[in-house]
Amino acid sequence: MKKVLTTVLAGAFTAVSSFAVAESHGDFKPAVIYDMGGKFDKSFNEGVYAGIKKFQDETGVEVMEFEVTNEAQRQQAMEKMVQRGATVVLGVGFAQADAISAVAAANPDVNFSIIDVSWLDHPNLRQYAFKEEEGSYLVGVAAAMASETGTVGFVGGMDIPLIRAFACGYEQGVKATKDDAKVLQNMTGTTPAAWNDPTKGSELTQAQIDRGADVVFQAAGGTGVGVIQAAADAGKLAIGVDSNQNYMAPGNVLTSMLKRVDVAAYETMKDAMSGDFETGVRLLGVAEGGVGWALDEYNADLITPEMKSAIDQAAAKITAGEIKVHDYRSDNTCKM
């Protein structure tokens, strides 16, 4: 279920940043750099956009924005925003790490924030990282219980450790629920183009369906649109990712694994505007409300009381530390 972030891991923050604090809204100039796929990708970028839009609607403050279409634009766009007077710049996605690191180092009086990065070290940088494996575990429980064939699928976007973490968490949730279940996995590609190839996503999904999968979880950005459509066309179930995608094929989207990048974007802008911009790393999982699953009018008929109870119990055990979901990124292996 959707939750508002109210807590962060202890010790995850450094002291409050004292620079680039706007004395008035007129002095405050926020900016966001969306990554490949654009702000209306119906997934990761659009989740960020939802947080930005909420901020703009509430405050009336315009957020400068740029949508990256090639890799060279990332650093150029950030530098351009600083030149235009940006007091805080939000980078969207791990692929912007090198660019934001360089620009933050060169502009110590500007605040920066980035989503899906936790390894940089700058006194003017906030970083958001998520325990995607925990949210994926929860939808794995749902997939295993909904499957009639005992075979489920996963379609990832670009083959990187982050997406392997989604796949691994999902498989753990499936296997913990039905140890004899089969999990089919495919990645779309090895370049950023893998995030925006719905045709390939559809083909991979159909191939998994042909092998018996009747529930397919996608973590593929814009490519996931093809996954959901292919599952719906075949009368099977899909699982959305990042944003709540249940509405995209009502009756055929079992649920969506929520990754609250909207909250990260909203928090970044609100804190920077108020002068409460803390730097450091925020690591958000089930316990912090950073990841979860979606239940609404579009999938209510698909989620049985038994299924909801099992998912809620798994979430409670993860929060209590009774279930420890292995993170693929910790050792590049998927341990059950």
Side-chain angles (χ1 to χ4, degrees), residues 145-168:
M145 295 184 72
S147 177
E148 297 178 354
T149 64
T151 298
V152 300
F154 174 86
V155 175
M158 188 175 174
D159 190 356
I160 53 174
L162 170 63
I163 302 306
R164 292 282 176 180
F166 276 95
C168 182

PDB file of all heavy atoms in Angstrom, residues 145-168:
ATOM      1  N   MET A 145       1.141 -16.382  -5.539  1.00  0.00           N
ATOM      2  CA  MET A 145      -0.213 -16.743  -5.127  1.00  0.00           C
ATOM      3  C   MET A 145      -1.221 -16.602  -6.264  1.00  0.00           C
ATOM      4  O   MET A 145      -2.216 -17.324  -6.318  1.00  0.00           O
ATOM      5  CB  MET A 145      -0.633 -15.894  -3.928  1.00  0.00           C
ATOM      6  CG  MET A 145       0.188 -16.159  -2.677  1.00  0.00           C
ATOM      7  SD  MET A 145      -0.389 -15.241  -1.224  1.00  0.00           S
ATOM      8  CE  MET A 145      -1.922 -16.115  -0.849  1.00  0.00           C
ATOM      9  N   ALA A 146      -0.958 -15.677  -7.185  1.00  0.00           N
ATOM     10  CA  ALA A 146      -1.883 -15.453  -8.297  1.00  0.00           C
ATOM     11  C   ALA A 146      -1.666 -16.433  -9.442  1.00  0.00           C
ATOM     12  O   ALA A 146      -2.584 -16.698 -10.219  1.00  0.00           O
ATOM     13  CB  ALA A 146      -1.741 -14.022  -8.817  1.00  0.00           C
ATOM     14  N   SER A 147      -0.471 -16.980  -9.553  1.00  0.00           N
ATOM     15  CA  SER A 147      -0.140 -17.843 -10.684  1.00  0.00           C
ATOM     16  C   SER A 147      -0.913 -19.161 -10.625  1.00  0.00           C
ATOM     17  O   SER A 147      -0.993 -19.810  -9.583  1.00  0.00           O
ATOM     18  CB  SER A 147       1.352 -18.137 -10.714  1.00  0.00           C
ATOM     19  OG  SER A 147       1.663 -19.030 -11.767  1.00  0.00           O
ATOM     20  N   GLU A 148      -1.463 -19.536 -11.765  1.00  0.00           N
ATOM     21  CA  GLU A 148      -2.157 -20.816 -11.876  1.00  0.00           C
ATOM     22  C   GLU A 148      -1.277 -21.887 -12.499  1.00  0.00           C
ATOM     23  O   GLU A 148      -1.542 -23.082 -12.362  1.00  0.00           O
ATOM     24  CB  GLU A 148      -3.432 -20.644 -12.711  1.00  0.00           C
ATOM     25  CG  GLU A 148      -4.449 -19.708 -12.076  1.00  0.00           C
ATOM     26  CD  GLU A 148      -5.688 -19.514 -12.927  1.00  0.00           C
ATOM     27  OE1 GLU A 148      -5.701 -20.033 -14.068  1.00  0.00           O
ATOM     28  OE2 GLU A 148      -6.631 -18.850 -12.472  1.00  0.00           O
ATOM     29  N   THR A 149      -0.208 -21.453 -13.167  1.00  0.00           N
ATOM     30  CA  THR A 149       0.675 -22.404 -13.854  1.00  0.00           C
ATOM     31  C   THR A 149       1.896 -22.779 -13.023  1.00  0.00           C
ATOM     32  O   THR A 149       2.590 -23.756 -13.332  1.00  0.00           O
ATOM     33  CB  THR A 149       1.181 -21.806 -15.178  1.00  0.00           C
ATOM     34  OG1 THR A 149       2.002 -20.648 -14.900  1.00  0.00           O
ATOM     35  CG2 THR A 149       0.030 -21.397 -16.076  1.00  0.00           C
ATOM     36  N   GLY A 150       2.203 -21.986 -12.005  1.00  0.00           N
ATOM     37  CA  GLY A 150       3.416 -22.225 -11.225  1.00  0.00           C
ATOM     38  C   GLY A 150       4.646 -21.652 -11.888  1.00  0.00           C
ATOM     39  O   GLY A 150       5.770 -21.843 -11.407  1.00  0.00           O
ATOM     40  N   THR A 151       4.456 -20.897 -12.992  1.00  0.00           N
ATOM     41  CA  THR A 151       5.563 -20.246 -13.688  1.00  0.00           C
ATOM     42  C   THR A 151       5.266 -18.761 -13.806  1.00  0.00           C
ATOM     43  O   THR A 151       4.191 -18.372 -14.282  1.00  0.00           O
ATOM     44  CB  THR A 151       5.769 -20.829 -15.097  1.00  0.00           C
ATOM     45  OG1 THR A 151       6.103 -22.213 -14.993  1.00  0.00           O
ATOM     46  CG2 THR A 151       6.890 -20.115 -15.833  1.00  0.00           C
ATOM     47  N   VAL A 152       6.207 -17.943 -13.359  1.00  0.00           N
ATOM     48  CA  VAL A 152       6.059 -16.487 -13.455  1.00  0.00           C
ATOM     49  C   VAL A 152       7.285 -15.923 -14.160  1.00  0.00           C
ATOM     50  O   VAL A 152       8.292 -16.613 -14.323  1.00  0.00           O
ATOM     51  CB  VAL A 152       5.881 -15.841 -12.064  1.00  0.00           C
ATOM     52  CG1 VAL A 152       4.645 -16.390 -11.365  1.00  0.00           C
ATOM     53  CG2 VAL A 152       7.121 -16.042 -11.201  1.00  0.00           C
ATOM     54  N   GLY A 153       7.181 -14.674 -14.580  1.00  0.00           N
ATOM     55  CA  GLY A 153       8.276 -14.088 -15.342  1.00  0.00           C
ATOM     56  C   GLY A 153       8.747 -12.751 -14.803  1.00  0.00           C
ATOM     57  O   GLY A 153       8.070 -12.114 -13.989  1.00  0.00           O
ATOM     58  N   PHE A 154       9.927 -12.355 -15.278  1.00  0.00           N
ATOM     59  CA  PHE A 154      10.494 -11.043 -14.961  1.00  0.00           C
ATOM     60  C   PHE A 154      11.163 -10.507 -16.217  1.00  0.00           C
ATOM     61  O   PHE A 154      11.959 -11.207 -16.852  1.00  0.00           O
ATOM     62  CB  PHE A 154      11.533 -11.140 -13.831  1.00  0.00           C
ATOM     63  CG  PHE A 154      12.245  -9.830 -13.573  1.00  0.00           C
ATOM     64  CD1 PHE A 154      11.694  -8.892 -12.714  1.00  0.00           C
ATOM     65  CD2 PHE A 154      13.450  -9.525 -14.202  1.00  0.00           C
ATOM     66  CE1 PHE A 154      12.334  -7.676 -12.483  1.00  0.00           C
ATOM     67  CE2 PHE A 154      14.091  -8.317 -13.973  1.00  0.00           C
ATOM     68  CZ  PHE A 154      13.534  -7.388 -13.114  1.00  0.00           C
ATOM     69  N   VAL A 155      10.849  -9.261 -16.576  1.00  0.00           N
ATOM     70  CA  VAL A 155      11.502  -8.585 -17.693  1.00  0.00           C
ATOM     71  C   VAL A 155      12.162  -7.323 -17.161  1.00  0.00           C
ATOM     72  O   VAL A 155      11.485  -6.426 -16.636  1.00  0.00           O
ATOM     73  CB  VAL A 155      10.514  -8.231 -18.819  1.00  0.00           C
ATOM     74  CG1 VAL A 155      11.211  -7.413 -19.910  1.00  0.00           C
ATOM     75  CG2 VAL A 155       9.912  -9.497 -19.422  1.00  0.00           C
ATOM     76  N   GLY A 156      13.488  -7.274 -17.251  1.00  0.00           N
ATOM     77  CA  GLY A 156      14.226  -6.106 -16.807  1.00  0.00           C
ATOM     78  C   GLY A 156      14.576  -5.200 -17.967  1.00  0.00           C
ATOM     79  O   GLY A 156      14.506  -5.596 -19.132  1.00  0.00           O
ATOM     80  N   GLY A 157      14.973  -3.991 -17.657  1.00  0.00           N
ATOM     81  CA  GLY A 157      15.423  -3.059 -18.687  1.00  0.00           C
ATOM     82  C   GLY A 157      16.896  -3.288 -18.990  1.00  0.00           C
ATOM     83  O   GLY A 157      17.281  -4.337 -19.500  1.00  0.00           O
ATOM     84  N   MET A 158      17.729  -2.331 -18.639  1.00  0.00           N
ATOM     85  CA  MET A 158      19.164  -2.459 -18.862  1.00  0.00           C
ATOM     86  C   MET A 158      19.755  -3.442 -17.846  1.00  0.00           C
ATOM     87  O   MET A 158      19.423  -3.404 -16.663  1.00  0.00           O
ATOM     88  CB  MET A 158      19.826  -1.093 -18.725  1.00  0.00           C
ATOM     89  CG  MET A 158      21.282  -1.046 -19.110  1.00  0.00           C
ATOM     90  SD  MET A 158      21.887   0.669 -19.022  1.00  0.00           S
ATOM     91  CE  MET A 158      23.633   0.405 -19.335  1.00  0.00           C
ATOM     92  N   ASP A 159      20.606  -4.319 -18.308  1.00  0.00           N
ATOM     93  CA  ASP A 159      21.175  -5.362 -17.447  1.00  0.00           C
ATOM     94  C   ASP A 159      22.267  -4.767 -16.573  1.00  0.00           C
ATOM     95  O   ASP A 159      23.436  -4.710 -16.939  1.00  0.00           O
ATOM     96  CB  ASP A 159      21.736  -6.502 -18.300  1.00  0.00           C
ATOM     97  CG  ASP A 159      22.105  -7.718 -17.458  1.00  0.00           C
ATOM     98  OD1 ASP A 159      21.996  -7.638 -16.218  1.00  0.00           O
ATOM     99  OD2 ASP A 159      22.514  -8.732 -18.042  1.00  0.00           O
ATOM    100  N   ILE A 160      21.873  -4.325 -15.401  1.00  0.00           N
ATOM    101  CA  ILE A 160      22.776  -3.706 -14.428  1.00  0.00           C
ATOM    102  C   ILE A 160      22.435  -4.271 -13.045  1.00  0.00           C
ATOM    103  O   ILE A 160      21.356  -4.838 -12.839  1.00  0.00           O
ATOM    104  CB  ILE A 160      22.628  -2.174 -14.419  1.00  0.00           C
ATOM    105  CG1 ILE A 160      21.141  -1.789 -14.223  1.00  0.00           C
ATOM    106  CG2 ILE A 160      23.186  -1.554 -15.701  1.00  0.00           C
ATOM    107  CD1 ILE A 160      20.914  -0.314 -14.061  1.00  0.00           C
ATOM    108  N   PRO A 161      23.330  -4.136 -12.067  1.00  0.00           N
ATOM    109  CA  PRO A 161      23.062  -4.677 -10.735  1.00  0.00           C
ATOM    110  C   PRO A 161      21.748  -4.193 -10.122  1.00  0.00           C
ATOM    111  O   PRO A 161      21.071  -4.953  -9.421  1.00  0.00           O
ATOM    112  CB  PRO A 161      24.276  -4.219  -9.924  1.00  0.00           C
ATOM    113  CG  PRO A 161      25.384  -4.180 -10.947  1.00  0.00           C
ATOM    114  CD  PRO A 161      24.730  -3.650 -12.188  1.00  0.00           C
ATOM    115  N   LEU A 162      21.373  -2.938 -10.355  1.00  0.00           N
ATOM    116  CA  LEU A 162      20.121  -2.421  -9.813  1.00  0.00           C
ATOM    117  C   LEU A 162      18.941  -3.254 -10.271  1.00  0.00           C
ATOM    118  O   LEU A 162      18.072  -3.644  -9.460  1.00  0.00           O
ATOM    119  CB  LEU A 162      19.923  -0.965 -10.260  1.00  0.00           C
ATOM    120  CG  LEU A 162      18.547  -0.350  -9.976  1.00  0.00           C
ATOM    121  CD1 LEU A 162      18.273  -0.284  -8.486  1.00  0.00           C
ATOM    122  CD2 LEU A 162      18.432   1.030 -10.609  1.00  0.00           C
ATOM    123  N   ILE A 163      18.868  -3.576 -11.548  1.00  0.00           N
ATOM    124  CA  ILE A 163      17.741  -4.345 -12.067  1.00  0.00           C
ATOM    125  C   ILE A 163      17.861  -5.810 -11.653  1.00  0.00           C
ATOM    126  O   ILE A 163      16.853  -6.483 -11.422  1.00  0.00           O
ATOM    127  CB  ILE A 163      17.636  -4.195 -13.591  1.00  0.00           C
ATOM    128  CG1 ILE A 163      17.477  -2.704 -13.947  1.00  0.00           C
ATOM    129  CG2 ILE A 163      16.450  -4.977 -14.135  1.00  0.00           C
ATOM    130  CD1 ILE A 163      16.315  -2.002 -13.244  1.00  0.00           C
ATOM    131  N   ARG A 164      19.075  -6.304 -11.523  1.00  0.00           N
ATOM    132  CA  ARG A 164      19.255  -7.649 -10.982  1.00  0.00           C
ATOM    133  C   ARG A 164      18.725  -7.724  -9.547  1.00  0.00           C
ATOM    134  O   ARG A 164      18.227  -8.762  -9.102  1.00  0.00           O
ATOM    135  CB  ARG A 164      20.731  -8.033 -11.016  1.00  0.00           C
ATOM    136  CG  ARG A 164      21.299  -8.220 -12.418  1.00  0.00           C
ATOM    137  CD  ARG A 164      20.900  -9.543 -13.007  1.00  0.00           C
ATOM    138  NE  ARG A 164      21.348  -9.699 -14.391  1.00  0.00           N
ATOM    139  CZ  ARG A 164      21.111 -10.772 -15.128  1.00  0.00           C
ATOM    140  NH1 ARG A 164      20.427 -11.798 -14.625  1.00  0.00           N
ATOM    141  NH2 ARG A 164      21.515 -10.836 -16.375  1.00  0.00           N
ATOM    142  N   ALA A 165      18.828  -6.612  -8.805  1.00  0.00           N
ATOM    143  CA  ALA A 165      18.308  -6.580  -7.434  1.00  0.00           C
ATOM    144  C   ALA A 165      16.793  -6.699  -7.422  1.00  0.00           C
ATOM    145  O   ALA A 165      16.214  -7.379  -6.563  1.00  0.00           O
ATOM    146  CB  ALA A 165      18.749  -5.298  -6.727  1.00  0.00           C
ATOM    147  N   PHE A 166      16.123  -6.036  -8.374  1.00  0.00           N
ATOM    148  CA  PHE A 166      14.677  -6.204  -8.512  1.00  0.00           C
ATOM    149  C   PHE A 166      14.350  -7.677  -8.756  1.00  0.00           C
ATOM    150  O   PHE A 166      13.468  -8.257  -8.104  1.00  0.00           O
ATOM    151  CB  PHE A 166      14.153  -5.392  -9.704  1.00  0.00           C
ATOM    152  CG  PHE A 166      13.866  -3.950  -9.447  1.00  0.00           C
ATOM    153  CD1 PHE A 166      14.811  -2.967  -9.730  1.00  0.00           C
ATOM    154  CD2 PHE A 166      12.635  -3.551  -8.956  1.00  0.00           C
ATOM    155  CE1 PHE A 166      14.536  -1.624  -9.530  1.00  0.00           C
ATOM    156  CE2 PHE A 166      12.340  -2.211  -8.751  1.00  0.00           C
ATOM    157  CZ  PHE A 166      13.295  -1.240  -9.032  1.00  0.00           C
ATOM    158  N   ALA A 167      15.043  -8.260  -9.733  1.00  0.00           N
ATOM    159  CA  ALA A 167      14.763  -9.647 -10.126  1.00  0.00           C
ATOM    160  C   ALA A 167      15.007 -10.615  -8.971  1.00  0.00           C
ATOM    161  O   ALA A 167      14.216 -11.541  -8.738  1.00  0.00           O
ATOM    162  CB  ALA A 167      15.627 -10.032 -11.323  1.00  0.00           C
ATOM    163  N   CYS A 168      16.084 -10.402  -8.253  1.00  0.00           N
ATOM    164  CA  CYS A 168      16.447 -11.292  -7.154  1.00  0.00           C
ATOM    165  C   CYS A 168      15.440 -11.202  -6.013  1.00  0.00           C
ATOM    166  O   CYS A 168      15.027 -12.216  -5.442  1.00  0.00           O
ATOM    167  CB  CYS A 168      17.852 -10.966  -6.669  1.00  0.00           C
ATOM    168  SG  CYS A 168      18.442 -12.040  -5.342  1.00  0.00           S
TER     169      CYS A 168
END
